[in-house]
Amino acid sequence: MEETLAIFIASTLRLGMPLMLAASGELVSERAGVLNLSLEGMMLTAAFFGALGSWATGNPYLGVGCAVLASLCVAAVQAWLSVDLRANQLVVGIGFNILALGATTLLYRVIFGGLSREEIPGLPKLAVDGLSNLPFAGTAFFQQSVIVYFGLALMVLIWVILNHTSFGLAVRAVGDEPLSADKAGIPVARTRRLAVLVAGAMAGLAGAFISIADIHTFTENMTNGAGYLALAAVIFGGWNIGRTIAACLLFGAATALQFQLPAMGIVVPTAFLLMLPYLLALLAVAGVVGRLEPPTALTLPFRRGK
Amino acid sequence: MTTTTIMLSLPDRRRMVGVAVPFIAVAGSLAIGLLLVAASGKSVPEAIEAFLDGAFGTAYAIGASINRAVALALVGLGFILAFRANLTNVGGEGQIAVGGIVATAIGLWTPISDLPLGLAVVLPLLGGTLAGALWGGIAGVMKVRFGTNEVISTLLLGFIALLLVYWCVQSTTLLRQPQTSSATLPESLPIADAVKLPGLTGSPESPLHIGLVICLLLAGVTAVVLQRSTFGLRLRAIGLNELAARRAGMPGGILLVVALALAGAFGGLAGAIMLQGEQYYLKAGFSSGYGFDGLVVGLLSRGSTVGVLAGALFFGFLRSGGISMEIMAGVPAALTLVIQGLIVIAVAGSVILVERLERGGR
């Protein structure tokens, strides 16, 4: 029983990780007023270029670098379109998701040929000396890949930046009151562009986690809606970093349960467990779990003098 | 000022810019697509030939492409109806899914195949339409009651609906066919012949079905409603300025719910037509991206019914041609996704430019 629980915690952490990475970055962008529906596309792009980089160089760390860089490129265009050209952020996001699915599938077929599932050099699991052998916590917490610990550190960093620095204050200001922020001399457009890039970098890590750290190969559409789940987590978390990460863990747990419950002899329809995150997010946006306050200027482009 | 600007009255110029942008976006994206074919080392003429053959080559190809266009046009029509009230319905995919589920359930669970007067065909279509309307209506009610952004709610409802399809075909108590062996696929039984949509040409070589007639009729109705009815005017009023429309005595909340329910109804009908006209049984992933493609069609049309029909035909043929290109010329059909994505991004990105040109500024 204890062993099962430890494995359950470990797989919750593993399945929740890409969500936590992507959602914490997206949170910064949404607090600044830009919603990236393209999160899914950024993650898929990153997963592909991460796998490609790792395969081509033989070095998984360079792969992670490629993933983040590729995702940043998508984010830069997204930022230009939604901040400078004031395009409809949602429509642009959908466009990017279609494009990313098409482009990665196309490139994958052309470069790797057919449907090969060649294994790529993956990130090692970091077995922390002395901790990974602990009877319960060892299995549950300390046999994860490097990216997990790095990602957790980044989340703490995001929390600090968002709540305790002047840049964090600027982010929240341009997301809630862009007009006043502008009058107070905060560069609205630049702050928003930076916030989108933060989302891009974190989505890049999330994509790299999926292909390089977790699955060790690329498959077509391998993110399979994880980006949308991350968006749902931000909503369910009420645009608060702690609650967003808790939401990601909850969604990860729901996914982990579909493997765990049958092993324990409990029959719950898989579809229901998969649906749970979206249902919870839907209840959350309906205000069932308490009043949610999205950033006031979320998805609204800003233009001086208007 | 140049001579052209003097010769053309403002509305003409406006229309020209509005039509030109999607055309430029489409042409540019197609050109990039061809470059990608060349870059991937495949023969461009061969790819084009395979594309044209798959899209227009045979009576079967043309019929299948038009059937695809019908589903896309319906979703697109629903999209522009709601968009008139400034509502963006992103849930087409889910609305297709619930439409398909209900049409299948009515077809398989109820003894309708013996009914006279074509009711065996009509009842599942109506059921699917109502299911879609309900699915869209939920988003409408959430918007009015809780102020929930319809983009978020329709998107989430979409995922829930896709998983409902998965659930239905996984469970034998729902719609999965009886499991006779471990190899039984997670699909529903096929619907009875009486429930299938009748063909339009009478020839067994063309899959073209009466969905086309339904679609054209509804396109006509939509055009009239949008342009000449009080309802259409009210949708526009509420879309332009909700507060002012409410002050003018319009039932704002009800209008918003009806607009989203109508959009959903079109999606649900598309789902029922896809099921009864083409696929005949329910399986996971049955909506296969038609909801998102339909949204793109609605978006490119800039609110015009004729635009929706033209866009739907374009994407219907694009899909058919893309599939044939993969089979015959070895160019992955994912290329059509690249082209679509580029078109959406280009059109969305050029909105500001278009507005500036329309206002006549430089």
Side-chain angles (χ1 to χ4, degrees):
Chain A
M1 187 62 214
E2 204 166 90
E3 184 64 14
T4 322
L5 188 64
I7 293 174
F8 172 65
I9 292 175
S11 51
T12 296
L13 206 56
R14 184 176 64 84
L15 291 163
M17 201 59 208
L19 304 183
M20 286 192 270
L21 288 166
S24 53
E26 172 64 12
L27 179 74
V28 176
S29 178
E30 289 195 21
R31 287 302 288 264
V34 184
L35 192 142
N36 302 295
L37 213 51
S38 52
L39 211 55
E40 171 79 7
M42 292 182 195
M43 284 171 71
L44 188 58
T45 308
F48 174 77
F49 281 98
L52 183 65
S54 177
W55 174 75
T57 63
N59 182 337
Y61 295 97
L62 285 177
V64 175
C66 291
V68 173
L69 208 64
S71 177
L72 275 174
C73 289
V74 180
V77 183
Q78 164 90 48
W80 179 58
L81 287 163
S82 24
V83 179
D84 298 280
L85 293 185
R86 303 195 301 277
N88 183 325
Q89 294 167 12
L90 308 157
V91 177
V92 170
I94 291 170
F96 271 119
N97 291 343
I98 299 176
L99 179 64
L101 179 59
T104 54
T105 306
L106 190 68
L107 286 170
Y108 173 67
R109 297 269 184 95
V110 170
I111 295 172
F112 291 92
L115 290 162
S116 82
R117 289 205 172 184
E118 194 172 336
E119 186 144 326
I120 56 159
L123 285 173
K125 298 241 186 292
L126 196 69
V128 186
D129 266 346
L131 292 176
S132 57
N133 301 326
L134 288 175
F136 176 78
T139 317
F141 300 108
F142 298 109
Q143 293 175 14
Q144 304 279 351
S145 76
V146 196
I147 238 180
V148 169
Y149 307 110
F150 183 59
L152 287 172
L154 278 180
M155 283 168 223
V156 175
L157 190 67
I158 285 179
W159 174 76
V160 172
I161 289 177
L162 210 49
N163 293 305
H164 298 283
T165 67
S166 57
F167 176 70
L169 191 63
V171 163
R172 285 179 286 145
V174 300
D176 279 328
E177 299 283 345
L179 213 66
S180 320
D182 186 47
K183 285 192 184 127
I186 298 172
V188 177
R190 199 169 71 203
T191 310
R192 285 188 168 177
R193 272 187 230 117
L194 259 175
V196 176
L197 290 180
V198 171
M202 294 302 282
L205 279 181
F209 176 84
I210 294 176
S211 70
I212 305 177
D214 195 14
I215 315 281
H216 291 203
T217 188
F218 179 82
T219 55
E220 286 169 20
N221 193 22
M222 79 182 304
T223 45
N224 196 18
Y228 293 113
L229 264 184
L231 283 169
V234 175
I235 298 165
F236 189 59
W239 290 271
N240 164 299
I241 184 131
R243 284 173 59 183
T244 298
I245 285 173
C248 292
L249 284 171
L250 183 68
F251 294 178
T255 321
L257 274 182
Q258 64 170 304
F259 305 113
Q260 291 279 313
L261 288 181
M264 293 162 67
I266 301 168
V267 184
V268 173
T270 319
F272 177 72
L273 290 173
L274 293 175
M275 198 186 286
L276 205 58
Y278 298 111
L279 269 176
L280 289 173
L282 192 72
L283 291 177
V285 284
V288 175
V289 279
R291 197 90 198 116
L292 290 183
E293 300 260 341
T296 323
L298 189 60
T299 78
L300 299 179
F302 171 74
R303 188 180 179 193
R304 188 172 280 172
K306 265 199 107 173
Chain B
M1 277 222 172
T2 60
T3 32
T4 32
T5 43
I6 296 164
M7 277 159 62
L8 292 173
S9 64
L10 199 63
D12 283 341
R13 268 178 51 128
R14 235 176 235 187
R15 194 163 298 159
M16 270 182 55
V17 175
V19 171
V21 164
F23 267 97
I24 295 169
V26 165
S29 306
L30 282 176
I32 293 177
L34 285 180
L35 280 178
L36 285 175
V37 172
S40 67
K42 300 284 189 313
S43 149
V44 175
E46 225 173 85
I48 293 179
E49 198 192 321
F51 182 92
L52 293 177
D53 197 48
F56 312 100
T58 58
Y60 181 86
I62 294 174
S65 305
I66 294 180
N67 284 347
R68 292 199 162 94
V70 164
L72 297 178
L74 286 171
V75 177
L77 288 172
F79 179 86
I80 63 167
L81 261 173
F83 203 63
R84 190 55 64 100
N86 207 12
L87 295 167
T88 311
N89 172 33
V90 194
E93 198 74 14
Q95 290 144 10
I96 290 178
V98 290
I101 292 174
V102 170
T104 313
I106 295 178
L108 293 179
W109 285 347
T110 61
I112 54 163
S113 40
D114 303 325
L115 290 177
L117 302 170
L119 281 175
V121 175
V122 173
L123 287 179
L125 285 179
L126 281 180
T129 309
L130 283 177
L134 173 74
W135 218 244
I138 294 175
V141 171
M142 285 177 68
K143 170 124 192 153
V144 174
R145 281 293 305 268
F146 312 115
T148 310
N149 185 327
E150 78 284 356
V151 173
I152 294 172
S153 58
T154 49
L155 191 72
L156 292 173
L157 282 164
F159 287 113
I160 293 171
L162 294 186
L163 288 162
L164 276 180
V165 175
Y166 179 68
W167 196 339
C168 284
V169 297
Q170 286 288 340
S171 154
T172 37
T173 47
L174 295 170
L175 288 168
R176 185 175 186 165
Q177 56 185 327
Q179 263 176 297
T180 46
S181 74
S182 61
T184 309
L185 289 172
E187 296 167 351
S188 77
L189 286 171
I191 51 171
D193 282 345
V195 184
K196 295 176 183 171
L197 292 186
L200 205 56
T201 57
S203 142
E205 258 145 61
S206 169
L208 193 64
H209 54 60
I210 57 159
L212 177 64
V213 180
I214 301 175
C215 172
L216 289 177
L217 282 175
L218 284 174
V221 172
T222 308
V224 171
V225 164
L226 283 181
Q227 280 157 23
R228 303 194 192 278
S229 74
T230 326
F231 177 68
L233 198 70
R234 287 183 163 180
L235 282 185
R236 182 189 294 253
I238 208 123
L240 287 174
N241 189 335
E242 192 180 337
L243 201 64
R246 279 175 194 272
R247 292 256 162 84
M250 288 181 202
I254 295 171
L255 274 173
L256 292 180
V257 175
V258 171
L260 276 170
L262 273 177
F266 273 94
L269 178 62
I273 285 181
M274 281 164 70
L275 190 105
Q276 292 172 255
E278 249 182 288
Q279 311 204 5
Y280 304 138
Y281 62 90
L282 194 71
K283 60 170 189 282
F286 133 94
S287 46
S288 53
Y290 278 69
F292 285 112
D293 290 6
L295 179 154
V296 173
V297 165
L299 188 75
L300 287 174
S301 73
R302 302 192 84 219
S304 131
T305 330
V306 179
V308 167
L309 294 178
L313 275 178
F314 174 76
F315 281 112
F317 282 103
L318 187 69
R319 253 189 192 238
S320 297
I323 293 168
S324 146
M325 215 161 60
E326 171 153 331
I327 297 168
M328 289 165 60
V331 179
L335 184 69
T336 55
L337 288 177
V338 174
I339 293 172
Q340 273 184 39
L342 287 173
I343 293 174
V344 178
I345 295 169
V347 171
S350 60
V351 167
I352 296 295
L353 178 78
V354 172
E355 276 176 11
R356 207 171 291 164
L357 287 173
E358 278 178 351
R359 258 186 254 114
R362 290 284 144 194

